[in-house]
């Protein structure tokens, strides 16, 4: 709207003149009374007023012209800027539409490529070949998997001999094998390439392959292959495989991984005595609690074995993991860790007894007639514990806490594992070999971020399911071959994940965001299913994959008669593999304090590994050595841990200097939070080079590098 300044000025001048004339009109009768000088002055004033009004009108007109010109200029600028903004908005909208078209085109291309990969994997499995690695753009942590050249129709996978294992098919010549369908079967429990974790189906349909008991003895007694897993091959061993299997068993026995009969008998005797002790202990508590004579008579407690002993793969000198299950009125804190401990401490057969209350699962450790025992306790919601208690039944999990669940799950997982493998004897020998290999290659420890006994057992059991008729010499090579090509973080599972009305949550990345960060999920078979390898980090996963690759190459040489089993079990030269190390020294006032201090520090080494990855932005990888070394020359009880440091390729290429002081300081602060810290417990962390490694870490006669 334009303002008419001219009209406003005219009205102002008119108003002034009108009021002055009105003044003269009202006073014209009295004007004769004024003197001539006054009239002259009044006339002069009227002239001046008229001139002023005229000047005011001219000034107003000038201002009107200038303001109108300015307003027109501003209006033109506003219109111009508005048109520019409109054009920019149209340009942005066009770019957004272009981006959306590009994304849609990319999705279409990727889906088409994924469909091609799936058909390729299906065809390869039908030909009984492990799927070749492909680049996985959806791989966790933003890194794709290594890609290998595609295998042609007539090409062979490394280390595989032609005609070794025929594809799974209907075979009228062999009535012991029943096949209803071919293809991927129920290997769909692994993450599909490009599929989101939230879209996974954790209750997959059951497979269609059934393996009956083999007349030749290769299958287990009364075993039926889990319908959740479709075997990759049903081939049995050849004469060469049987020969290599005998050589492997001889090598393992010569290496001392089997328990002698005398020690095995001693262990059974110790377990029987311990079972009688806990039964008398529960009856004593029932009597002291004022229960009836019948309740005292029926009071009972049972000892179950866990871990490697229950799986039948324990080695000489190792502790027996045991679980004491008691009735609901016997608690852990007072009755188990106080009264039972005092009973055991008074016995001559028991030595070095101590309670580790701050552990994730509280445990009582002692030696009984020289045999090391790790004793857990679980109180179930029963007033009387039956002697034939079925611990695999989920009813034992009613009304228990998380700590009791962790105590029970060790036995439950071991029991389920033994049910899910086609041949227990072959599974045990294969697992014994893999555990021995992992220990001498410094990758056996879930505490420090590698794999513990449960994880190795699940990995081996999975291979036994994929090759149900293979013998240990074949299974060992297939462990390395399959897991070298495994697309982590696809989970390894032996059975579908079970859900029921209990409040415990099984492993499920869709519902638990923290589980989406797990790098190497290995899922236990017993409810509630858990990831037994949650401590694996980017560094330790890299170490494990390199060791799997090494094992696969050695096994190829063994199958082609170019190498022997001792090459696979050659000890890993840890202190020669790295140039830089972090040395963690701990001391304490006495041996008991040192053991507690050691367990606490050892449990935090994985956090130091993660902190080093964080402060270096992933440019430095760590290999923590699970072994604790002793310097006998120190006046106080002492242990030393070592972590190998290695720059990744980018940092090594650029020769970047990486600082880890911040990670070490955070590690020190975390260690200082130990609730049972006592005087004399000290820790020191230092950076050492390869030529500065102390001599006490090397065996006698070994030359320091």
């Amino acid at each position: 709207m334009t303002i008419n300044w001219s009209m406003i000025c005219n009205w102002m001048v008119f108003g002034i003149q009108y009021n002055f004339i009105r003044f003269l009109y009202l006073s014209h009768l009295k004007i004769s009374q004024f003197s001539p000088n006054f009239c002259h002055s009044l006339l002069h004033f009227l002239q001046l007023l008229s001139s002023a009004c005229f000047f005011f009108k001219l000034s107003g007109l000038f201002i009107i012209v200038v303001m109108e010109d300015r307003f027109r200029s501003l209006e033109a600028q506003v219109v111009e800027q508005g048109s520019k903004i409109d054009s920019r908005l149209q340009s942005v909208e066009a770019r957004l539409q272009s981006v959306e078209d590009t994304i849609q085109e990319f999705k279409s291309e990727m889906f088409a490529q994924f469909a091609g990969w799936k058909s390729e994997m299906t065809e390869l499995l039908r030909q009984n070949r492990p799927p070749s690695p492909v680049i996985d753009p959806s791989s966790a942590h933003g890194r794709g998997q290594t890609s290998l050249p595609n295998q042609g129709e007539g090409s062979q996978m490394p280390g595989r001999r032609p005609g070794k294992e025929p594809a799974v098919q209907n075979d009228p010549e062999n009535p012991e094998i029943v096949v209803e369908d071919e293809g991927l079967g129920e290997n769909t429990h692994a993450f599909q390439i490009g599929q989101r974790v939230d879209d996974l189906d954790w209750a997959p349909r059951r497979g269609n392959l059934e393996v009956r008991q083999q007349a030749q003895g290769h299958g287990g007694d009364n075993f039926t292959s889990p319908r959740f897993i479709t075997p990759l091959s049903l081939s049995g061993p050849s004469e060469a495989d049987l020969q290599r299997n005998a050589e492997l068993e001889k090598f393992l026995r010569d290496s001392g991984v089997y328990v002698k009969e005398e020690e095995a008998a001693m262990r059974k005797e110790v377990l029987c005595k311990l079972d009688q002790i806990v039964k008398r202990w529960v009856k004593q508590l029932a009597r002291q609690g004022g229960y009836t004579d019948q309740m005292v008579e029926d009071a009972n407690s049972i000892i179950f074995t866990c871990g490697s002993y229950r799986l039948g793969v324990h080695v000489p000198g190792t502790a027996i993991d045991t679980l004491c299950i008691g009735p609901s009125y016997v608690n852990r804190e007072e009755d188990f860790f106080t009264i039972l401990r005092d009973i055991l401490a008074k016995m001559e057969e028991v030595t070095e007894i101590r309670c580790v209350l701050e552990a994730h699962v509280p445990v009582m450790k002692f030696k009984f007639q020289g045999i090391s025992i790790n004793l857990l306790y679980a109180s179930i919601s029963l007033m009387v514990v039956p002697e034939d208690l079925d611990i695999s039944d989920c009813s034992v999990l009613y009304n228990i806490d998380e700590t009791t669940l962790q105590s029970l799950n060790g036995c439950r997982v071991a029991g389920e594992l033994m049910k899910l493998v086609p041949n227990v004897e072959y599974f045990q020998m294969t697992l014994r070999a893999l555990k021995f290999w992992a220990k001498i290659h410094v990758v056996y420890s879930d505490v420090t971020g590698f794999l513990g006994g449960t994880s190795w057992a699940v990995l081996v059991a999975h291979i036994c399911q994929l090759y149900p008729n293979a013998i240990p010499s074949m299974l060992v090579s297939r462990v390395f071959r399959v897991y070298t090509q495994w697309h982590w973080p696809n989970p390894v599972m032996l059975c579908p994940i079970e859900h029921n009305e209990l409040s415990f949550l099984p492993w499920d990345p869709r519902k638990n965001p923290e589980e989406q960060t797990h790098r190497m999920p290995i899922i236990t078979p017993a409810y509630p299913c858990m990831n037994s390898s949650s401590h694996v980090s980017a560094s330790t996963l890299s170490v494990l994959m390199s060791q799997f690759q090494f094992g696969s190459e050695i096994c190829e040489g063994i199958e082609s008669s170019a190498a022997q089993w001792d090459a696979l079990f050659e000890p890993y030269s840890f202190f020669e593999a790295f140039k830089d190390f972090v040395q963690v020294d701990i001391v304490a006032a006495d041996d008991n304090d040192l053991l507690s201090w050691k367990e606490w520090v050892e449990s935090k080494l994985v956090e130091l590994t993660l902190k080093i990855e964080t402060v270096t932005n992933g440019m430095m990888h760590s290999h923590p050595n699970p072994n604790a070394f002793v310097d006998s020359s120190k006046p106080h009880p002492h242990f030393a841990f070592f972590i190998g440091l290695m720059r990744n390729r980018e940092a090594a290429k650029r020769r970047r200097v990486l600082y880890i002081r911040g990670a070490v300081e955070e590690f020190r602060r975390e260690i200082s939070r130990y609730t049972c810290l006592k005087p004399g417990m000290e820790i020191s962390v230092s950076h050492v080079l390869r030529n500065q490694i102390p001599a006490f870490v090397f065996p006698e006669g070994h030359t320091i590098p």
Side-chain angles (χ1 to χ4, degrees):
M1 178 180 178
T2 304
I3 301 174
N4 195 336
W5 294 100
S6 177
M7 183 180 293
I8 293 174
C9 293
N10 289 332
W11 277 103
M12 291 176 63
V13 172
F14 174 76
I16 295 171
Q17 293 176 348
Y18 169 77
N19 288 321
F20 183 74
I21 293 171
R22 182 171 177 270
F23 168 75
L24 293 179
Y25 173 76
L26 294 176
S27 58
H28 72 281
L29 298 176
K30 300 179 181 181
I31 195 169
S32 59
Q33 300 176 4
F34 296 101
S35 62
N37 291 333
F38 173 78
C39 294
H40 179 75
S41 299
L42 180 60
L43 181 62
H44 183 67
F45 171 73
L46 291 175
Q47 291 176 351
L48 290 177
L49 181 60
S50 178
S51 299
C53 291
F54 179 75
F55 177 76
F56 177 74
K57 185 176 181 179
L58 290 179
S59 300
L61 292 174
F62 176 76
I63 294 173
I64 289 171
V65 173
V66 173
M67 293 300 294
E68 286 183 349
D69 181 66
R70 181 58 177 168
F71 284 147
R72 291 193 188 95
S73 175
L74 289 176
E75 184 178 5
Q77 292 179 9
V78 169
V79 172
E80 181 181 0
Q81 293 295 330
S83 61
K84 289 183 179 180
I85 292 175
D86 291 339
S87 62
R88 290 180 181 179
L89 287 176
Q90 293 175 358
S91 175
V92 170
E93 290 177 356
R95 291 182 182 180
L96 289 176
Q97 185 63 37
S98 175
V99 171
E100 291 179 358
D101 295 341
T102 304
I103 292 175
Q104 190 64 32
E105 182 180 355
F106 176 75
K107 285 183 177 179
S108 302
E109 293 178 357
M110 293 305 296
F111 286 144
Q113 194 170 7
F114 292 155
W117 287 340
K118 183 176 180 180
S119 62
E120 178 190 357
M121 293 170 69
T122 304
E123 182 64 26
L124 288 176
L125 285 176
R126 286 179 177 175
Q127 298 176 11
N128 193 31
R129 300 178 185 173
S132 57
V134 294
I135 298 178
D136 184 359
S138 65
S139 177
H141 322 301
R143 296 193 302 276
Q145 302 286 344
T146 305
S147 176
L148 295 179
N150 189 20
Q151 302 293 325
E153 185 66 23
S155 61
Q156 298 289 329
M157 293 294 291
R160 185 181 294 279
R161 296 185 295 281
K164 178 64 178 176
E165 297 169 352
V168 177
Q169 58 184 356
N170 291 311
D171 187 1
E173 300 294 332
N174 188 357
E176 302 301 326
I177 301 176
V178 179
V179 181
E180 299 177 4
D181 193 10
E182 293 184 348
L184 286 173
E186 284 316 303
N187 290 328
T188 53
H189 67 281
F191 292 1
Q192 299 300 313
I193 298 175
Q195 189 175 13
R196 288 173 52 85
V197 175
D198 296 341
D199 300 332
L200 293 176
D201 181 10
W202 293 106
R205 55 185 175 84
R206 295 184 178 275
N208 300 313
L209 182 65
E210 180 179 328
V211 182
R212 297 176 181 171
Q213 183 178 356
Q214 302 297 307
Q216 296 84 355
H218 300 312
D221 296 337
N222 302 323
F223 171 76
T224 299
S225 178
R227 295 180 180 271
F228 180 67
I229 301 295
T230 299
L232 295 180
S233 172
L234 300 177
S235 297
S238 65
E239 290 297 328
D241 291 323
L242 293 172
Q243 177 64 29
R244 284 191 290 269
N245 192 72
E247 294 173 355
L248 174 61
E249 183 176 6
K250 182 179 183 303
F251 178 85
L252 294 176
R253 291 190 179 278
D254 294 342
S255 300
V257 299
Y258 284 88
V259 177
K260 296 181 179 180
E261 294 183 1
E262 297 81 4
E263 183 179 348
M266 176 65 71
R267 287 172 177 259
K268 291 181 180 179
E269 178 184 350
V270 166
L271 290 174
C272 289
K273 290 183 177 180
L274 183 60
D275 185 65
Q276 295 301 316
I277 292 171
V278 297
K279 291 182 186 301
R280 293 194 298 268
W281 162 65
V282 170
K283 292 182 181 296
Q284 174 185 334
L285 293 175
R287 189 177 298 109
Q288 293 175 354
Y291 291 96
T292 63
D293 294 341
Q294 185 62 42
M295 283 290 296
V296 173
E297 182 180 352
D298 295 339
N300 189 32
S301 182
I302 309 177
I303 291 292
F304 285 90
T305 57
C306 315
S308 60
Y309 189 88
R310 185 176 179 86
L311 293 174
V313 294
H314 57 286
V315 299
T318 57
I320 305 177
D321 295 325
T322 56
L323 170 66
C324 175
I325 297 182
S328 58
Y329 56 84
V330 178
N331 63 62
R332 180 185 295 105
E333 290 74 15
E334 182 179 354
D335 298 330
F336 180 75
F337 282 115
T338 302
I339 298 177
L340 180 59
R341 180 196 176 283
D342 293 341
I343 293 174
L344 293 172
K346 294 177 182 178
M347 301 179 62
E348 295 182 357
E349 300 95 329
V350 177
T351 58
E352 301 180 16
I353 186 169
R354 60 192 182 90
C355 299
V356 186
L357 303 178
E358 66 277 3
H360 180 61
V361 181
V363 59
M364 185 188 303
K365 298 187 176 185
F366 55 91
K367 286 187 176 181
F368 197 111
Q369 296 182 188
I371 303 296
S372 297
I373 301 291
N374 296 332
L375 183 59
L376 308 174
Y377 179 73
S379 175
I380 61 176
S381 58
L382 293 175
M383 293 295 291
V384 177
V385 179
E387 193 66 27
D388 58 348
L389 177 68
D390 183 8
I391 197 173
S392 64
D393 195 321
C394 287
S395 61
V396 301
L397 304 181
Y398 283 103
N399 297 324
I400 64 173
D401 57 19
E402 188 71 26
T403 303
T404 303
L405 173 67
Q406 296 292 340
S407 302
L408 289 169
N409 243 17
C411 297
R412 288 167 49 79
V413 168
E416 289 298 317
L417 276 171
M418 303 292 277
K419 298 176 183 178
L420 292 172
V421 294
N423 188 300
V424 173
E425 180 182 353
Y426 293 166
F427 163 75
Q428 290 174 333
M429 181 174 169
T430 306
L431 179 57
R432 194 183 296 272
L434 263 295
K435 291 180 67 174
F436 179 52
W437 174 87
K439 289 178 181 178
I440 64 177
H441 281 78
V442 204
V443 291
Y444 185 89
S445 174
D446 56 343
V447 177
T448 55
F450 292 108
L451 303 182
T454 301
S455 297
W456 286 109
V458 173
L459 292 181
V460 172
H462 185 64
I463 299 301
C464 291
Q465 291 179 341
L466 295 178
Y467 302 92
N469 297 323
I471 59 177
S473 61
M474 303 166 63
L475 293 172
V476 168
S477 64
R478 281 150 182 77
V479 166
F480 295 116
R481 183 182 305 168
V482 170
Y483 294 122
T484 296
Q485 303 180 50
W486 195 269
H487 294 171
W488 306 105
N490 296 347
V492 174
M493 297 191 296
L494 304 179
C495 58
I497 292 181
E498 177 184 355
H499 295 79
N500 59 32
E501 68 276 8
L502 297 178
S503 59
F504 302 110
L505 297 178
W507 184 83
D508 191 345
R510 299 172 305 175
K511 299 179 180 179
N512 305 324
E514 293 182 359
E515 293 172 351
Q516 297 180 8
T517 62
H518 292 176
R519 297 177 180 270
M520 194 178 186
I522 302 174
I523 311 305
T524 57
Y527 174 83
C529 299
M530 302 178 183
N531 180 15
S532 61
S533 55
S534 58
H535 288 166
V536 173
S537 64
S539 294
T540 53
L541 176 59
S542 175
V543 172
L544 284 166
M545 294 305 295
S546 65
Q547 293 295 335
F548 282 150
Q549 180 64 39
F550 169 80
S552 179
E553 295 172 357
I554 296 297
C555 286
E556 290 177 9
I558 294 174
E559 291 181 343
S560 62
S561 301
Q564 300 298 321
W565 288 110
D566 56 353
L568 179 64
F569 296 97
E570 183 72 22
Y572 179 62
S573 301
F574 176 79
F575 291 103
E576 298 178 10
F578 306 95
K579 296 181 179 180
D580 299 90
F581 298 85
V582 171
Q583 179 176 345
V584 181
D585 294 280
I586 61 173
V587 295
D590 54 49
D591 292 337
N592 288 333
D593 289 349
L594 181 63
L595 291 177
S596 301
W597 188 224
K598 169 183 174 291
E599 291 172 352
W600 171 255
V601 173
E602 187 177 24
S603 67
K604 298 300 178 182
L605 288 178
V606 64
E607 296 187 14
L608 177 57
T609 301
L610 293 173
K611 294 180 190 303
I612 291 176
E613 292 179 10
T614 302
V615 300
T616 61
N617 294 323
M619 293 188 178
M620 178 172 286
H621 284 180
S622 308
H623 185 164
N625 192 323
N627 301 312
F629 300 89
V630 180
D631 185 2
S632 57
S633 64
K634 290 186 177 294
H636 298 288
H638 164 268
F639 278 121
F641 296 97
F642 291 88
I643 300 176
L645 302 177
M646 180 177 62
R647 296 174 175 84
N648 64 9
R649 293 182 178 179
E650 179 183 356
K653 183 178 180 180
R654 298 182 179 181
R655 297 182 179 181
R656 295 189 58 177
V657 179
L658 303 177
Y659 298 94
I660 62 173
R661 182 181 299 275
V664 172
E665 292 301 324
E666 290 185 20
F667 173 69
R668 288 176 180 273
R669 287 193 292 269
E670 186 68 25
I671 292 295
S672 64
R673 297 190 180 100
Y674 184 43
T675 57
C676 300
L677 191 65
K678 296 181 180 179
M681 292 183 175
E682 298 179 358
I683 182 173
S684 64
V685 184
S686 58
H687 168 240
V688 295
L689 300 177
R690 179 192 299 169
N691 56 5
Q692 297 173 331
I693 297 295
F696 65 83
V697 304
F698 299 103
E700 295 182 3
H702 186 88
T703 304
I704 301 177

